[in-house]
Amino acid sequence: MRRSIVAGNWKMHGSRSMIEDLVKSLATSVNTDTCDVIVSPPFPYLSLVQQLTAGTGIGLAGQNCSEHAQGAHTGEVAADMLVDLGCEWVILGHSERRQAGETDAQVAAKAATARSAGLKPILCVGESLAQRQSGDAVAVVTAQLAALVEDLSAGDVIAYEPVWAIGTGETATPEQAQEMHSEIRAFLVEQQPTLAQQTRILYGGSVKADNAAELFAAADIDGGLVGGASLKADGFSAIVGAAQ
Ligand code: PGA
């Protein structure tokens, strides 16, 4: 039985006061008993969120990390700094970063650095609308995974996020999502048989309170990576409720 995960990716949103309000509400409304609940604030707010989530059971994720160890890399954030600020997780290879030029090889290098710092990577994969329309969705996702699974470790999480569903309000149907999740699971069975059944695969792309239960009911969907709907405590708590 894989424990569900609901992770809130706040992207580049928030302010001190907005985040204080959000985390205080989450602390009283989310149930972390049977589900890993994770929030991923922008870097400058990690320390604040670490303090506010202490003792709540809510986990912390960075939104990215450098592939390098600490050193002369202006503007970058080292994986061990995230650990120092209480992160247990890091989101890597999000499509918004891939669109800005991040390559499969870089995502793999970041994942290796993250693992050696003790972080569990949440590895994002997903096809564009054009790739889906041309029938290449599975090939694209499999190629992204191929770069990542060689060093897959226990605790790593995969997030399938079709690019056409991110922030668009257009969600993959539970059937479309399950179809890809089952392809991903089958690929893991081939490549990493001992980890295939325990690796959690999250769906991301316009997950909301009113579609979460249907998505999470699918056999190979182990929870969600939630963007927009993670910025409001009531909506996010309802999504966590759907994963219980
Ligand atoms: P969304 O974002 O829920 O706003 O579509 C998901 C994500 O990018 O992780």
Side-chain angles (χ1 to χ4, degrees):
M1 190 62 188
R2 296 180 293 268
R3 187 176 157 92
S4 304
I5 300 181
V6 175
N9 173 12
W10 296 352
K11 309 192 179 185
M12 198 173 73
H13 293 289
S15 63
R16 180 181 284 276
S17 65
M18 175 274 200
I19 286 173
E20 272 178 8
D21 289 347
L22 174 58
V23 180
K24 283 180 186 160
S25 310
L26 288 177
T28 57
S29 60
V30 296
N31 180 348
T32 60
D33 289 348
T34 60
C35 175
D36 288 338
V37 180
I38 302 168
V39 294
S40 187
F43 293 135
Y45 299 113
L46 274 172
S47 182
L48 172 67
V49 178
Q50 180 189 22
Q51 290 162 33
L52 293 169
T53 53
T56 63
I58 298 172
L60 269 183
Q63 293 182 15
N64 180 32
C65 71
S66 172
E67 64 264 50
H68 303 293
Q70 286 200 22
H73 300 286
T74 303
E76 296 288 329
V77 171
D80 57 0
M81 295 174 183
L82 297 180
V83 173
D84 199 23
L85 288 171
C87 293
E88 193 184 335
W89 313 85
V90 61
I91 298 170
L92 293 176
H94 191 281
S95 65
E96 287 152 15
R97 299 203 56 81
R98 291 177 184 267
Q99 276 158 11
E102 200 162 291
T103 63
D104 285 335
Q106 261 176 311
V107 181
K110 289 177 179 203
T113 306
R115 290 185 198 104
S116 34
L119 292 168
K120 290 180 267 193
I122 300 172
L123 304 163
C124 302
V125 295
E127 81 287 359
S128 68
L129 183 59
Q131 289 163 333
R132 175 156 287 260
Q133 286 171 339
S134 62
D136 296 325
V138 172
V140 167
V141 167
T142 307
Q144 289 172 340
L145 279 175
L148 294 171
V149 297
E150 199 184 330
D151 297 324
L152 197 80
S153 296
D156 284 18
V157 172
I158 292 169
Y160 168 58
E161 298 203 302
V163 178
W164 48 273
I166 295 179
T168 58
E170 186 163 343
T171 319
T173 63
E175 294 72 28
Q176 282 173 319
Q178 168 55 26
E179 202 181 314
M180 186 63 84
H181 282 232
S182 111
E183 293 283 354
I184 293 172
R185 185 88 58 206
F187 188 71
L188 294 182
V189 167
E190 252 173 50
Q191 305 289 322
Q192 286 284 1
T194 57
L195 295 173
Q197 297 307 327
Q198 73 185 62
T199 300
R200 291 174 287 182
I201 308 174
L202 311 184
Y203 170 79
S206 299
V207 175
K208 298 184 218 62
D210 60 8
N211 60 23
E214 249 193 324
L215 286 161
F216 299 166
D220 290 293
I221 301 184
D222 303 313
L225 180 53
V226 185
S230 70
L231 295 168
K232 292 265 158 52
D234 50 355
F236 189 66
S237 303
I239 294 168
V240 173
Q244 306 278 340

